[in-house]
Amino acid sequence: MTVLILPTIQQDSDNSDFTQRRDMMEKATLIIDGKTYELPVVVGSEGEKAIDISNLRRMTGLITLDPGYANTGSCTSSITFMDGEKGILRYRGIPVEQLAEHSSFIETAYLLINGVLPTREQLNEVSVLFNDHSLVHEDMQIFYQNFPRGSHPMGILSAMVNALRSFYPELPAFGEEINITVIRLLSKVRTMAAMSYKISRGHKVVYPRPDLSYCANFLNMMFDTPVKPYPMDKDLVQALNVFWILHADHEQNCSTSAVRLVGSGRVNLYAAISAGIAALWGPLHGGANQAVIEMLSDIQKDGGNFRRAIERAKDKKDAFRLMGFGHRVYKAYDPRAKIMKKMCDKVLAKLNIKDPLLDFAKELEAAALKDDYFIEHNLYPNIDFYSGIVLRAMGIPTNMFTVMFAIGRLPGWIAQWKESIDDPKWKLGRPRQIYTGPKEMQYIPIDER
Ligand code: SDX
């Protein structure tokens, strides 16, 4: 069976050049066993193209196969644009570099979810709503206290976000339900993360304060104590804003795809977000920020021998990977990693901290970027390579690094989920497969086996 996909461009009457006219219908021609099929080609606003195979099985009886979905688009989306070759990342068209420099995390969250930057009045309204909904039900503390000591904060967060539905039953009006759930999630996730940390240390829970901004409130809930008030530092608050802006969304990554897929079953948003948190936990995904620090600490214990780590990463017989390096989309330097790296220097200088792991990270990066293996495989630092250094400097415990990623990604998950439910073509996500197991066989009674 021969299958060919040939991009054919239907020239319109005046034969104008495709790159100038975008109102042409593009089609791909598929030839299977001598039969020709035409498939529509979708062209995105940045010129990205995809063959629309939504009718492929009905037309041809065939499906496509793409383990890991590296060549498969799950949706069209107007939220985030990435160009992996050029290292571009934009939220609703605005470059992440500009948002990191000029915006706040809450303003960026508003942009991602609503598609526009808020007015000052709208931003104030959201801040008031966050204050109104920043507390969690006191009974939730009993849940926290019953997790075994040493439970991973990501497992706790995923469970507790799912539990929010039990504390906040569904409202009859769908629109109102969505709005209040979005506000509750964005506001309470800080309180829940900080509460988890305090209880894990046997410390008194610190409540959110209406006089503090979103990020300052989180730092205060994490580190304020009855004996020593937390010395709020505006530069650290700003660093946390930038940290969360950089994590806010990233197209159809593993955890966002989990949120969309789980949400496609029409389950409540808390459950879909809980699934996203679980997906993010993995060391190949959001768990990499914790794995990077563990890797750098091992290199430190190994006398700073970062070259051994590079050799191990290249050895196909060794399962070791250079954590914080490589990316499914970026085949250039992750633009977020560039900003995070600069932030390391700024935050450590401000706190007058000398972190040897930062020196190892920079030496490791410099050596890897000169190594043929990393050059040939287009492996560059991703967001997770330097983010842990910033979090360490802030005093965030290593096992909470991915929780910090989850708080940052929450607006992106919400925006992507909202876009999926607003899509008139929204349907239950249910991929197909190619079966490779045994052909039909008969049941054999146990005494005859
Ligand atoms: C995040 O998708 C997103 O947008 C994610 C994220 C987001 O914001 O949501 O950006 C956040 O998850 C960042 C990535 C964090 N993970 C890590 O840092 C873990 C280490 N990196 C890798 O495991 C890997 O790079 C992945 C998982 C991130 C991406 O891998 P791919 O795209 O599945 O590519 P692959 O595993 O098929 O690797 C291709 C080749 C292989 O070599 P060959 O068999 O072709 O010879 O590159 C090699 C791999 O062995 N390779 C690495 C490597 N990453 C890829 N070799 C050594 N060290 C690495 N880190």
Side-chain angles (χ1 to χ4, degrees):
M1 174 189 276
T2 50
V3 177
L4 290 172
I5 286 192
L6 310 167
T8 51
I9 296 177
Q10 283 174 333
Q11 299 285 355
D12 67 8
S13 53
D14 68 3
N15 252 344
S16 60
D17 176 76
F18 172 73
T19 47
Q20 271 128 40
R21 300 284 307 275
R22 305 192 57 85
D23 55 0
M24 289 181 193
M25 269 304 287
E26 270 199 59
K27 289 229 178 285
T29 301
L30 184 61
I31 301 170
I32 305 174
D33 287 343
K35 203 169 169 209
T36 301
Y37 303 89
E38 284 214 325
L39 297 166
V41 172
V42 175
V43 184
S45 43
E46 288 289 341
E48 295 169 298
K49 296 182 185 178
I51 299 167
D52 180 345
I53 57 166
S54 37
N55 288 312
L56 180 70
R57 192 166 185 276
R58 190 180 54 74
M59 289 163 69
T60 70
L62 275 73
I63 63 169
T64 58
L65 193 58
D66 183 21
Y69 310 116
N71 306 286
T72 299
S74 60
C75 62
T76 56
S77 176
S78 59
I79 298 171
T80 292
F81 172 69
M82 288 166 68
D83 181 321
E85 279 61 40
K86 296 182 188 141
I88 290 173
L89 174 60
R90 301 184 199 132
Y91 298 158
R92 299 288 188 180
I94 303 176
V96 72
E97 294 83 355
Q98 292 182 26
L99 292 164
E101 190 174 341
H102 304 298
S103 186
S104 69
F105 175 55
I106 290 313
E107 184 181 70
T108 298
Y110 188 103
L111 168 72
L112 284 167
I113 294 169
N114 298 295
V116 289
L117 286 166
T119 62
R120 190 173 297 282
E121 190 195 347
Q122 287 166 329
L123 204 53
N124 291 340
E125 274 168 32
V126 166
S127 301
V128 168
L129 283 169
F130 283 159
N131 281 334
D132 294 349
H133 294 277
S134 57
L135 289 170
V136 294
H137 197 293
E138 284 292 315
D139 288 357
M140 284 196 113
Q141 290 201 34
I142 302 163
F143 280 59
Y144 281 104
Q145 277 144 10
N146 284 291
F147 277 101
R149 283 280 177 270
S151 300
H152 195 288
M154 280 296 276
I156 297 173
L157 186 66
S158 179
M160 298 308 283
V161 164
N162 216 348
L164 285 171
R165 171 82 303 161
S166 309
F167 287 91
Y168 303 101
E170 191 149 8
L171 298 175
F174 187 65
E176 190 192 348
E177 159 67 13
I178 297 301
N179 286 337
I180 190 75
T181 302
V182 167
I183 290 289
R184 277 192 190 123
L185 274 167
L186 286 169
S187 186
K188 295 180 192 310
V189 72
R190 297 170 291 175
T191 313
M192 295 165 76
M195 186 185 281
S196 166
Y197 173 63
K198 284 292 195 189
I199 291 173
S200 73
R201 302 196 62 198
H203 289 184
K204 191 170 162 23
V205 167
V206 175
Y207 286 83
R209 285 174 29 187
D211 60 314
L212 293 178
S213 69
Y214 189 92
C215 294
N217 234 326
F218 173 77
L219 290 171
N220 193 61
M221 287 191 277
M222 282 287 290
F223 302 119
D224 192 47
T225 69
V227 291
K228 186 168 174 275
Y230 177 65
M232 199 59 73
D233 178 324
K234 65 176 176 43
D235 290 336
L236 279 197
V237 172
Q238 177 51 19
L240 185 53
N241 266 295
V242 174
F243 182 93
W244 278 338
I245 287 170
L246 295 178
H247 285 84
D249 194 49
H250 218 232
E251 287 190 355
Q252 306 312 316
N253 57 83
C254 172
S255 52
T256 298
S257 300
V259 170
R260 278 182 174 255
L261 190 60
V262 168
S264 74
R266 305 275 200 277
V267 76
N268 67 82
L269 179 55
Y270 299 117
I273 296 298
S274 172
I277 295 169
L280 187 73
W281 192 357
L284 290 191
H285 188 16
N289 54 17
Q290 175 176 343
V292 167
I293 291 298
E294 288 161 354
M295 174 185 75
L296 294 173
S297 304
D298 288 349
I299 291 172
Q300 184 179 33
K301 285 183 209 121
D302 190 23
N305 185 353
F306 58 83
R307 291 206 175 280
R308 212 166 82 82
I310 289 177
E311 290 317 309
R312 283 191 62 198
K314 292 157 62 175
D315 178 357
K316 292 301 165 199
K317 291 189 290 301
D318 190 332
F320 176 82
R321 287 219 160 161
L322 212 54
M323 301 315 276
F325 256 76
H327 199 275
R328 175 62 59 78
V329 176
Y330 290 127
K331 300 309 168 195
Y333 211 107
D334 182 334
R336 305 167 299 174
K338 280 184 192 159
I339 300 169
M340 200 66 85
K341 182 178 178 181
K342 284 195 198 111
M343 199 151 76
C344 285
D345 292 329
K346 212 169 146 196
V347 167
L348 268 63
K350 166 74 189 185
L351 296 173
N352 197 19
I353 293 174
K354 188 95 184 80
D355 186 346
L357 297 193
L358 177 59
D359 302 333
F360 289 136
K362 287 181 176 175
E363 287 174 88
L364 182 58
E365 175 196 343
L369 294 185
K370 284 200 288 264
D371 184 286
D372 289 345
Y373 173 90
F374 287 82
I375 295 167
E376 282 150 24
H377 286 83
N378 293 310
L379 301 176
Y380 293 86
N382 59 53
I383 188 163
D384 293 309
F385 192 63
Y386 286 105
S387 58
I389 305 278
V390 175
L391 295 175
R392 260 161 68 95
M394 287 181 181
I396 306 286
T398 305
N399 70 355
M400 272 194 73
F401 285 3
T402 313
V403 167
M404 297 300 284
F405 192 144
I407 297 173
R409 184 53 52 88
L410 184 55
W413 286 334
I414 291 170
Q416 298 276 351
W417 172 85
K418 196 161 162 280
E419 184 176 69
S420 68
I421 67 167
D422 291 344
D423 180 347
K425 295 199 299 291
W426 186 37
K427 60 202 294 187
L428 176 71
R430 202 279 188 208
R432 304 298 295 253
Q433 64 159 29
I434 292 295
Y435 174 71
T436 55
K439 288 184 177 296
E440 184 176 2
M441 53 196 287
Q442 302 311 308
Y443 177 78
I444 303 164
I446 190 158
D447 297 329
E448 294 169 27
R449 287 173 203 164

